[in-house]
Amino acid sequence: FNSLQPFAVALIEYFFNNMFEILLKYNKQAYKIIEGENIKLPLKDAIQINKGNLSVENILSREYSFQNIEHINRAYLKYLNIYILRILSVKKKINSKIYRVSDELRNIIKQRHQMIHNFYFDNTYKKNEFLFDLKVVDKVVELVIEQLDKQNNWKIMKQIIIL
């Protein structure tokens, strides 16, 4: 199950990266901040923008690692005024125990980092641990979407089935 562990981080990265790009695209305040940015842009990227293959949101999201909770928080706070760390710093029930969601997310990211970069192999990481990690990811997504619902008066959570 160690080989599946990076999958949990990939889910987190995909969610936060894509959500960031979508929210940026429709946020006028974010665009005011973006307009004041000075980002070095290779000519090949300018050509891809011209062809419609690359967007401002894609370019900006490349500036952040969405495999790092502090980078995620920095990006969301700077452009969208969304404090991800505050949202995830709550204690929630996962598998009948109470955990601080941000701490569990950090553990998942740290385990993946150790596995990929330090060739660390955890013999105790089995099916139940992987399923727990997936429930943590699910809780992260749920908390962020609930907050977006509340902030923007959306009704996304009513349309999503959580594991």
Side-chain angles (χ1 to χ4, degrees):
F1 284 93
N2 275 266
S3 62
L4 291 175
Q5 212 281 327
F7 176 71
V9 176
L11 291 171
I12 294 291
E13 180 181 26
Y14 182 84
F15 171 73
F16 279 112
N17 188 350
N18 284 283
M19 181 72 79
F20 181 69
E21 289 183 10
I22 291 166
L23 292 172
L24 276 180
K25 185 173 185 172
Y26 300 103
N27 188 307
K28 292 177 185 174
Q29 290 303 110
Y31 261 84
K32 287 180 183 176
I33 297 167
I34 293 167
E35 287 171 357
E37 295 285 305
N38 256 337
I39 296 175
K40 203 170 201 174
L41 187 66
L43 198 50
K44 68 178 182 172
D45 286 347
I47 292 167
Q48 291 303 311
I49 290 171
N50 191 39
K51 290 180 179 180
N53 297 331
L54 197 58
S55 70
V56 171
E57 297 84 12
N58 299 143
I59 291 167
L60 198 56
S61 70
R62 291 189 315 203
E63 298 294 312
Y64 296 93
S65 168
F66 291 94
Q67 293 183 2
N68 179 309
I69 190 70
E70 280 72 25
H71 288 206
I72 293 168
N73 188 63
R74 192 175 310 131
Y76 275 73
L77 196 54
K78 179 177 181 178
Y79 295 102
L80 302 166
N81 200 29
I82 299 171
Y83 196 173
I84 295 296
L85 283 175
R86 186 180 302 144
I87 295 168
L88 300 180
S89 290
V90 297
K91 292 182 179 180
K92 291 290 182 178
K93 186 184 271 191
I94 303 170
N95 285 354
S96 73
K97 287 178 105 178
I98 303 295
Y99 298 93
R100 185 171 305 280
V101 177
S102 59
D103 291 346
E104 295 308 313
L105 177 58
R106 278 191 177 93
N107 287 338
I108 293 169
I109 293 169
K110 181 181 173 187
Q111 288 170 345
R112 179 247 173 230
H113 182 84
Q114 288 176 332
M115 182 183 158
I116 300 298
H117 300 289
N118 300 327
F119 304 111
Y120 177 75
F121 191 81
D122 183 357
N123 290 328
T124 65
Y125 191 81
K126 306 283 186 217
K127 180 181 178 181
N128 287 338
E129 287 75 20
F130 176 67
L131 293 175
F132 176 81
D133 285 354
L134 289 181
K135 287 183 180 181
V136 170
V137 171
D138 185 56
K139 190 58 71 178
V140 166
V141 171
E142 179 184 340
L143 288 169
V144 171
I145 291 176
E146 280 177 354
Q147 183 61 35
L148 289 172
D149 271 357
K150 204 182 300 178
Q151 268 183 257
N152 300 293
N153 200 24
W154 295 343
K155 305 284 188 265
I156 298 171
M157 281 306 294
K158 290 182 179 179
Q159 299 173 23
I160 295 178
I161 299 171
I162 303 296
L163 295 174

